[in-house]
Amino acid sequence: MPELIACLPGDGIGPEVLEQAVRVLEHLPVDVEVVRLPFGGAAIDATGEPLPAETLAACRASRAVLLGAVGGPRWDSGAVRPEQGLLGLRRALDVYANLRPATQGDVDLVIVRELVGGLYFGARGVRDDGTVFDTCEYHPDEVARIVRRGFELARGRRRSLVSVDKANVLDTSRMWRRVVDEIAPGYPDVALRHALVDSFAMELVNAPETIDVVVTENMFGDILSDVAAAVTGGLGLAASASLGDAGPGVFEPVHGSAPDLAGTGAANPAAMLRSLALLLEHGLHRGDLAGVLAESVDAALVSAPTPDLGGNATTKAFGDAVLASLTKEEAWTTALS
Ligand code: NAD
Ligand code: IPM
Ligand code: MN
């Protein structure tokens, strides 16, 4: 029986980069069935909802979800927004652990972002006087499960963990710090430190090579992961894996729908292809193929750079280069056997 891979193209450059990932996936020696489903703004246009029930059902039934990007100016003023579909999907699948690796040269770090709580999911509204509010809420159990993920990941890497918060101001951050300190004795082999998000943002820019694993709440992780991407070559390169305790993970680039690039053929599909590599590793447990694909993407960055990298390769030409490199790879035949 083939494994079902739910593919959600979404909006803007989402479908353009996802198409390259599907080409590569279908070329790989894995028994998968790709199902494309409406999501985001495209789904709002077709059905009125960003996450139609059929799309969510297919995602739940899948081995893994591969997602392009959602959003765009067309839907920014509507009552229903594409981004609500993305948040709804993450919450429905309870993929609370969002791993966002950033590597380049001697920089090799991973941001472990809490993905289904905090400010993006708290109570919100408008008071009679016109005041608008969003609230940041966390239960200690929600903090504990993501913090454990951070420690576990650090344990398998350079054994260094930074927990990022704003404990000098926020009660949620003070609770976060307390939970981290309660869990830390279970990981005596991991060097832990706490950092405040504002100065840590500076550290991430100034000394990224000193950072191994970062664990942080939803909004801080959202912002810091774009910073980490910028430090390591740009959003065109940054991939992510969103994992729960069971069930399908969601694999998507860190970048958005890039309305400024949509339709030009200039989008860099590397972030999407690296997200496919994360799917191979975490979703299909084929770390061998993930490694081969990651190498082929690295080779294409040199042989077919897209405009964001100073080259002039198109999205499709980059995909062609990855496929050509995969076919050449010696390791590839080994992986096949
Ligand atoms: P963005 O990430 O779409 O783009 C930021 C900048 O990076 C733009 O200049 C863009 O051209 C560039 N860029 C992004 N991806 C690129 C790629 N693959 N290759 C080359 N350049 C790339 O962020 P934005 O412009 O702030 O947001 C646009 C829309 O995307 C918004 O509607 C936002 O809500 C949405 N968004 C969606 C996701 C997602 O679906 N996961 C993530 C972030 C933003
Ligand atoms: C991301 C995006 C999303 C987020 C938006 C589009 C809801 O910025 O994946 O980083 O905030 O998580
Ligand atoms: Mn973001």
Side-chain angles (χ1 to χ4, degrees):
M1 277 278 282
E3 305 273 14
L4 188 68
I5 306 296
C7 289
L8 314 184
D11 311 313
I13 64 166
E16 302 170 23
V17 293
L18 183 79
E19 222 36 58
Q20 298 311 314
V22 170
R23 281 177 79 202
V24 168
L25 178 59
E26 290 183 334
H27 181 82
L28 291 166
V30 283
D31 188 17
V32 294
E33 184 187 339
V34 166
V35 185
R36 289 179 183 76
L37 300 149
F39 186 57
I44 294 177
D45 291 349
T47 71
E49 294 170 61
L51 176 58
E54 300 75 38
T55 296
L56 178 57
C59 290
R60 283 191 200 281
S62 73
R63 166 55 63 132
V65 179
L66 193 60
L67 197 160
V70 298
R74 273 183 57 204
W75 302 280
D76 277 348
S77 49
V80 194
R81 298 177 52 98
E83 291 81 356
Q84 290 172 292
L86 182 57
L87 297 178
L89 176 72
R90 291 167 175 173
R91 180 74 158 221
L93 298 179
D94 198 26
V95 286
Y96 64 88
N98 181 218
L99 312 185
R100 298 191 155 185
T103 54
Q104 187 188 56
D106 52 5
V107 179
D108 178 5
L109 64 89
V110 184
I111 294 176
V112 180
R113 169 191 178 194
E114 200 292 324
L115 201 60
V116 298
L119 198 55
Y120 296 6
F121 291 91
R124 63 189 54 188
V126 189
R127 294 205 190 95
D128 291 345
D129 70 351
T131 305
V132 181
F133 62 94
D134 298 282
T135 56
C136 181
E137 292 180 31
Y138 271 110
H139 187 279
D141 292 347
E142 289 178 282
V143 176
R145 65 179 185 170
I146 188 70
V147 166
R148 277 196 206 94
R149 287 278 188 152
F151 274 109
E152 292 292 336
L153 187 68
R155 183 167 259 182
R157 292 171 46 96
R158 303 197 302 280
R159 297 199 195 88
S160 158
L161 180 69
V162 193
S163 171
V164 174
D165 62 39
K166 185 73 185 174
N168 53 345
V169 176
L170 302 174
D171 279 339
T172 44
S173 281
R174 281 189 282 272
M175 181 272 283
W176 177 284
R177 211 175 257 226
R178 177 172 55 73
V179 171
V180 172
D181 286 335
E182 282 165 10
I183 290 172
Y187 297 87
D189 51 324
V190 176
L192 165 74
R193 69 189 169 97
H194 298 281
L196 295 172
V197 64
D198 43 0
S199 64
F200 182 76
M202 187 178 67
E203 205 183 317
L204 190 53
V205 172
N206 286 339
E209 68 286 349
T210 64
I211 301 165
D212 181 12
V213 179
V214 180
V215 65
T216 192
E217 63 89 51
N218 200 343
M219 185 169 71
F220 298 158
D222 185 17
I223 298 168
L224 293 176
S225 56
D226 274 35
V227 175
V231 170
T232 52
L235 277 171
L237 303 178
S240 91
S242 306
L243 309 171
D245 288 325
V250 178
F251 301 86
E252 56 169 317
V254 171
H255 66 69
S257 58
D260 53 335
L261 287 185
T264 66
N268 185 349
M272 184 78 245
L273 289 161
R274 285 177 166 177
S275 301
L276 174 61
L278 291 170
L279 183 156
L280 291 166
E281 181 184 347
H282 297 278
L284 295 174
H285 306 294
R286 290 299 304 268
D288 57 337
L289 293 179
V292 174
L293 174 55
E295 278 174 30
S296 292
V297 171
D298 286 349
L301 293 173
V302 177
S303 69
T306 43
D308 56 314
L309 304 175
N312 59 10
T314 61
T315 310
K316 179 168 181 301
F318 190 97
D320 292 343
V322 170
L323 283 170
S325 160
L326 275 175
T327 311
K328 266 197 309 201
E329 273 279 358
E330 203 57 53
W332 165 248
T333 33
T334 323
L336 263 171
S337 57

